[in-house]
Amino acid sequence: MKTISVLLTCLASLTQLPAQLWETVGGGCSSGVRGFFADSTSNLLYVVGAFQYAGDSLASGIATWDGATWGTVGHGKWDTVNFSGTTPILSVEKYGDNLFAGGMMEMMAGDRDNAFLSRWDGQQWNVCGNPNAPIYLNVANGRLFALGGFSEISGRPTQKIAVWDGLEWVRFGDSLPFKRDGQLSSAAFYNGEYYFTGHVKVADTWRCILRWTGSAWDYVDGRGEEIDLINDVIVYKGQLFVGGWFFASAGNPASYLMAWDGSRWYDPFPNVQFASTVNDLQIIDDELYIAGGHYVFDGVQWQGQYQISRYNGQEFCSFGGGDILPLTMEGYNGSLFVGCQGLVGSDRLNYIAKWIGGNATDICISQPVRITDPATTAPLATLSPNPTQSQFTLTLPAGSGPCTLQIHDLSGRVVLSTQRYHAGAQVDVAALAAGLYFVEVQLRDRTEVLKLVKE
């Protein structure tokens, strides 16, 4: 599953990477890496993006890494006379014996017209389905999906979702009244239903998460705000996770990352605050990897900012420091590979890096959420209104007695010192600057951290 976010770029940092736990991959790529596919049959890592070169090889947007050297797949997507580094391949998937590549490939297969989706026959690239807009490829429930903003594929009107039947692309589900705006980019199969995410306009409403029940379409994104964007969706430990560009202040349970248990959305990691776009979600060696900037509450203060995390159902661990700002990730031969849109570190990792730090972490917190049964954990307190311009009311469980309360800013600095409050108390925050804050509530032997938005 690949991402469509263009909101996060990678920095050309001049600092040393932490303990030099990242290393270059064969000299790196000449421009941005946008997607991976690890092929267990050939033991090759496919890498796609907007690059012309992978190491010293003229790859033109798609290359292979065998653990030691770069290889190419045909002539790539561009001819060598009229190369354009602004139109990347966005995704690559192997399905059966076929390799598919989707994106903006106007030079692929020798066709100077747009060829947004191509299939490799072992000798050359061939235009496949000829959609009229870029494609993101996803496999869900053993089926290959083409997603995007297209309105036509395989010569037939097909809106934004198509599935490969082994010979050609066909429409999936009943037709939806999609507007021209927006596109879909990721898919998952959860509790017997298909979920498709992105940012599309259906009728006159923006939608980020569509669900196909097997007989009808449904929407589970709640509000469908125009500012929202879901980059990726994945199933882990019986829950559906989505990551992207959205905010708790707009009515979501969390910013940038939230989870769905089949009936409700919730914040899966109350002691973690994501502070920038979540670009990619991957399951590697039975752990959930998350690419997105975040802070971690260690029980005393907020630590961060970190860019990569992994969760095994018991511990949430952040690692890799802040130099790597990933757009996409993949596990290959027991190692983590990340791609980004910049040059990282003094070692010039060049748009792609391999983690060689093993189990090294910057910080870990234990059991941040009961992920197996989130509905059983009732909230300790609520704050309303939230967002607020001046004050909020504290609500506590009936008969619980007073609690202690402390407010931190994003850096971990205490902006309201520990005080005791009873249920229904009015907490004055008028003096705080506008922004995101963390309210630490302690009641008897239980502590909860809530997010507060000051307008």
Side-chain angles (χ1 to χ4, degrees):
M1 285 174 278
K2 310 305 173 189
T3 65
I4 59 176
S5 174
V6 295
L7 298 171
L8 178 63
T9 59
C10 293
L11 300 178
S13 172
L14 299 178
T15 61
Q16 289 293 107
L17 296 176
Q20 300 299 313
L21 298 181
W22 295 97
E23 74 173 14
T24 183
V25 179
C29 296
S30 60
S31 190
V33 169
R34 298 298 300 272
F36 295 107
F37 176 74
D39 184 5
S40 58
T41 302
S42 64
N43 198 31
L44 292 175
L45 179 66
Y46 288 88
V47 183
V48 298
F51 50 86
Q52 185 177 14
Y53 285 89
D56 295 326
S57 299
L58 180 61
S60 295
I62 181 166
T64 60
W65 176 253
D66 65 5
T69 59
W70 287 105
T72 60
V73 185
H75 296 293
K77 67 170 180 144
W78 294 295
D79 61 37
T80 57
V81 176
N82 193 13
F83 168 77
S84 169
T86 61
T87 52
I89 297 181
L90 299 171
S91 60
V92 59
E93 289 283 354
K94 189 175 181 182
Y95 188 72
D97 294 328
N98 297 303
L99 184 69
F100 294 82
M104 294 174 278
M105 300 170 288
E106 66 271 17
M107 303 292 183
M108 186 173 273
D111 185 349
R112 301 192 69 85
D113 294 328
N114 290 330
F116 296 117
L117 177 60
S118 291
R119 182 172 58 153
W120 175 249
D121 65 7
Q123 300 294 324
Q124 64 181 1
W125 289 103
N126 299 278
V127 174
C128 180
N130 199 26
N132 59 350
I135 292 291
Y136 296 85
L137 295 161
N138 282 248
V139 175
N141 192 33
R143 308 181 75 180
L144 178 66
F145 288 92
L147 307 173
F150 55 89
S151 59
E152 180 181 307
I153 192 170
S154 294
R156 294 184 293 272
T158 307
Q159 288 281 354
K160 303 187 190 312
I161 306 174
V163 64
W164 181 249
D165 70 358
L167 296 175
E168 62 179 349
W169 296 98
V170 296
R171 191 176 68 191
F172 178 81
D174 296 334
S175 296
L176 279 171
F178 283 111
K179 297 291 187 179
R180 182 176 179 180
D181 314 67
Q183 60 188 3
L184 296 171
S185 65
S186 57
F189 188 72
Y190 177 66
N191 283 353
E193 298 173 325
Y194 289 93
Y195 288 74
F196 301 93
T197 66
H199 180 63
V200 292
K201 204 167 190 178
V202 184
D204 293 320
T205 303
W206 284 100
R207 300 291 184 180
C208 298
I209 306 172
L210 313 180
R211 177 173 62 180
W212 174 249
T213 65
S215 59
W217 287 104
D218 188 14
Y219 310 105
V220 294
D221 52 310
R223 300 159 300 100
E225 294 286 341
E226 186 170 350
I227 59 172
D228 285 356
L229 170 70
I230 304 296
N231 284 328
D232 208 355
V233 57
I234 202 166
V235 178
Y236 183 69
K237 300 290 185 183
Q239 308 298 307
L240 186 79
F241 289 81
V242 298
W245 176 264
F246 51 85
F247 311 96
S249 60
N252 297 298
S255 298
Y256 306 109
L257 181 79
M258 58 186 183
W260 171 257
D261 65 6
S263 61
R264 70 183 182 101
W265 290 105
Y266 67 98
D267 183 353
F269 306 119
N271 291 333
V272 179
Q273 172 59 45
F274 283 87
S276 63
T277 304
V278 170
N279 286 297
D280 197 17
L281 302 169
Q282 292 288 338
I283 298 174
I284 302 171
D285 295 331
D286 199 35
E287 292 187 306
L288 174 64
Y289 281 71
I290 305 167
H294 61 281
Y295 297 83
V296 177
F297 186 70
D298 64 3
V300 178
Q301 61 183 354
W302 288 91
Q303 305 281 356
Q305 183 177 15
Y306 308 104
Q307 300 299 332
I308 303 177
S309 55
R310 63 174 185 258
Y311 179 63
N312 63 8
Q314 299 297 319
E315 283 191 318
F316 183 100
C317 295
S318 304
F319 66 101
D323 285 328
I324 294 286
L325 301 179
L327 288 176
T328 185
M329 304 176 293
E330 184 66 283
Y332 171 67
N333 283 352
S335 297
L336 174 69
F337 287 72
V338 301
C340 63
Q341 288 183 335
L343 312 176
V344 184
S346 59
D347 285 344
R348 306 287 289 181
L349 297 179
N350 294 346
Y351 302 97
I352 182 171
K354 175 185 175 182
W355 175 250
I356 57 172
N359 293 322
T361 56
D362 295 299
I363 186 173
C364 288
I365 55 175
S366 298
Q367 298 181 337
V369 68
R370 286 186 185 175
I371 197 167
T372 55
D373 189 11
T376 63
T377 305
L380 178 64
T382 58
L383 317 175
S384 62
N386 188 10
T388 181
Q389 294 182 346
S390 58
Q391 63 183 18
F392 63 83
T393 300
L394 177 68
T395 302
L396 299 171
S400 62
C403 71
T404 58
L405 183 147
Q406 192 175 71
I407 300 180
H408 305 255
D409 64 14
L410 274 175
S411 69
R413 182 172 60 94
V414 176
V415 295
L416 180 67
S417 59
T418 301
Q419 298 184 35
R420 292 179 66 81
Y421 289 94
H422 289 269
Q426 302 287 314
V427 182
D428 186 3
V429 292
L432 299 182
L436 178 67
Y437 294 88
F438 303 99
V439 181
E440 180 184 350
V441 179
Q442 184 170 2
L443 182 62
R444 294 190 295 272
D445 59 347
R446 183 176 166 193
T447 300
E448 184 172 71
V449 178
L450 306 172
K451 297 157 190 177
L452 173 71
V453 176
K454 170 63 167 52
E455 294 182 329

